[in-house]
Amino acid sequence: MSLEGNVAIITGASSGIGAGVAEDLREAGMRLVLTARRRDRLDALAGRLGGCIAVEGDIADPALPQRLVDTAIERFGRLDVLFNNAGVMHVESIEEADIERLCAMIRVNVEAATRMAYCARKHFTRAGAGTLINVASILGTKVRPMAGVYAGTKFAIEALSQALRMEAAGTGVRVSVIEPGLVATASRPSASTPFG
């Protein structure tokens, strides 16, 4: 299947999986709307790849998902793929846990991912086609000590993806979920963790 000329939104695009997927999709000829919080990294990636629109923003901002969909339509005339990747990981013992940081993680990993999925899914339904790819984790299928809250956010993405896949049956909209393991990113340069 040729991806040439198709348009994708990639959230969490400034490093790690998001940046890698952006490179691969751009090489395949896709035009991209990239979003992340770090403007400098986002601009550097978009400049290096060409054919990209960089939209700086915090995915937890309730207005950002629709803005991304609107940007794709306004700038490229279509939207074919959402790579719903933005997320954070906090792994803490109960004694050391910062509950506010854990709740902020829930807002990003569940609430923001859900908003983004629904905005894109509504567009895909109207268009009669589209591909929604949610990024979960291997910890969306099992739990490790100190990772219960993070795993819970990824279990939620698994459930969301399953439901959206069932709802999309027969519509021309595809829903997938990816379950990566540990990935070195700018915020987590080492692949070693207490639960690895």
Side-chain angles (χ1 to χ4, degrees):
M1 179 177 82
S2 174
L3 298 177
E4 186 76 35
N6 283 3
V7 175
I9 294 171
I10 302 176
T11 68
S14 64
S15 67
I17 293 171
V21 168
E23 291 172 1
D24 287 346
L25 294 184
R26 187 64 192 120
E27 187 175 314
M30 293 186 76
R31 295 169 294 172
L32 307 175
V33 176
L34 307 174
T35 190
R37 291 174 296 168
R38 295 174 288 190
R39 182 88 222 183
D40 57 336
R41 289 178 177 270
L42 201 55
D43 286 343
L45 180 64
R48 188 172 78 250
L49 298 180
C52 301
I53 304 298
V55 179
E56 178 188 12
D58 184 341
I59 198 65
D61 173 359
L64 183 59
Q66 190 60 54
R67 183 159 59 104
L68 294 169
V69 171
D70 292 344
T71 298
I73 303 305
E74 290 164 10
R75 298 296 292 273
F76 295 126
R78 60 190 293 171
L79 173 61
D80 304 286
V81 175
L82 167 62
F83 191 74
N84 200 11
N85 169 69
V88 295
M89 180 180 196
H90 299 302
V91 178
E92 302 169 333
S93 71
I94 197 75
E95 293 79 17
E96 298 170 346
D98 178 337
I99 194 68
E100 293 307 318
R101 186 162 67 166
L102 293 176
C103 288
M105 177 175 65
I106 294 167
R107 284 190 291 276
V108 170
N109 292 4
V110 181
E111 181 182 335
T114 300
R115 285 181 192 276
M116 190 70 247
Y118 271 69
C119 284
R121 173 70 168 76
K122 286 178 181 179
H123 168 75
F124 295 153
T125 299
R126 288 191 297 271
T131 301
L132 167 59
I133 304 167
N134 288 323
V135 178
S137 167
I138 57 170
L139 286 180
T141 63
K142 55 186 169 185
V143 179
R144 295 285 188 262
M146 298 188 292
V149 178
Y150 175 77
T153 69
K154 296 306 182 175
F155 269 79
I157 295 303
E158 294 281 338
L160 173 67
S161 300
Q162 288 183 31
L164 290 176
R165 187 180 305 116
M166 288 185 272
E167 293 166 21
T171 68
V173 178
R174 293 178 293 189
V175 180
S176 299
V177 63
I178 297 174
E179 299 164 347
L182 293 171
V183 176
T185 68
S187 61
R188 192 175 59 249
S190 170
S192 62
T193 67
F195 58 88

